[in-house]
Each structure stands twice: as C-alpha cells, then as structure tokens.
Amino acid sequence: GLVCKVLNLVPRHQAIVSDILGEQFAGLLTRAIGLGEVFLAIWIWSGFRSRIVAVLQMVLVATMNVLEFFLAPELLLWGRLNAVFAAMFIGLVFFHEFIWKPKHGLVESTSIRS
C-alpha cells in the first residue's frame, strides 16, 4: 500500500482504480486505499483483535479481486489468474488465524492445585 499506492511507484494501481471508480478522483482514491492498507498492516502487527482484522482482510481482498476480475482484468499483473493467487492468500490468512494459531483466551495452567 505505501510503496505502490501512496507513493504511486506502481502506476498500474491507479489505472485499475481509474477503470473501476473513474478518472476524476483516481489519484486521491488510490492514495486513500493505500493508506487504508498501511493502517490494516499496523493493525495486523499490533495483534489487537486479530480475528476481526483477519476476517476484514479476507473480505477486502476478495472484494477487491472480484471487482478487478470483472472490471479491469487487462491491468492485473497475471490477468484473471490473479484470482487464484488472491484465493491462496485468503486461504493462508484463514489458516494462520483460525487453524494454526493457538485459540484465543485459552491459557494452559501449569500451577499445582493444593
């Protein structure tokens, strides 16, 4: 988000936003999306309410990729094949947060009861 969208070092992202949301505010909206991604990354790194942020991340990635799949496939790095990579990423986020990671709120007790 920071490098590609906020700093606009990958203009293809702004072209995708322009195709989907219109040319007039594409620059501003691309930067806003990038700032949202930076905020999301900070939230993920904080560990605060990690399951909520995981679900939000999965929904946002799915929504973004469905829109791009139908409205701007010619601008995607791998065309419509991007959807496969997005699905794999969503699966990885789900696996990490809901399968692999220890359950929240469950702390093993090693104390000896008297």
Side-chain angles (χ1 to χ4, degrees):
L2 177 64
V3 172
C4 296
K5 294 179 180 99
V6 176
L7 300 177
N8 198 28
L9 295 180
V10 182
R12 182 174 42 83
H13 290 279
Q14 187 168 326
I16 292 168
V17 172
S18 177
D19 266 17
I20 295 172
L21 299 174
E23 179 67 35
Q24 186 177 7
F25 299 108
L28 179 65
L29 291 172
T30 303
R31 284 184 176 80
I33 292 166
L35 287 172
E37 290 176 358
V38 169
F39 172 75
L40 195 64
I42 292 167
W43 186 4
I44 291 166
W45 286 330
S46 78
F48 179 73
R49 306 263 185 188
S50 63
R51 289 191 171 198
I52 293 172
V53 74
V55 170
L56 179 63
Q57 185 178 27
M58 290 185 290
V59 168
L60 289 172
V61 168
T63 302
M64 175 185 69
N65 278 275
V66 166
L67 288 170
E68 292 170 344
F69 185 89
F70 290 109
L71 301 175
E74 69 283 354
L75 294 172
L76 299 176
L77 192 57
W78 297 293
R80 287 198 162 105
L81 189 59
N82 259 32
V84 173
F85 294 104
M88 291 182 346
F89 178 73
I90 290 167
L92 179 67
V93 171
F94 179 83
F95 177 79
H96 177 266
E97 186 59 40
F98 294 97
I99 307 295
W100 180 71
K101 197 173 179 182
K103 301 286 186 234
H104 297 280
L106 299 177
V107 179
E108 285 189 43
S109 177
T110 56
S111 63
I112 301 174
R113 296 182 188 195
S114 31

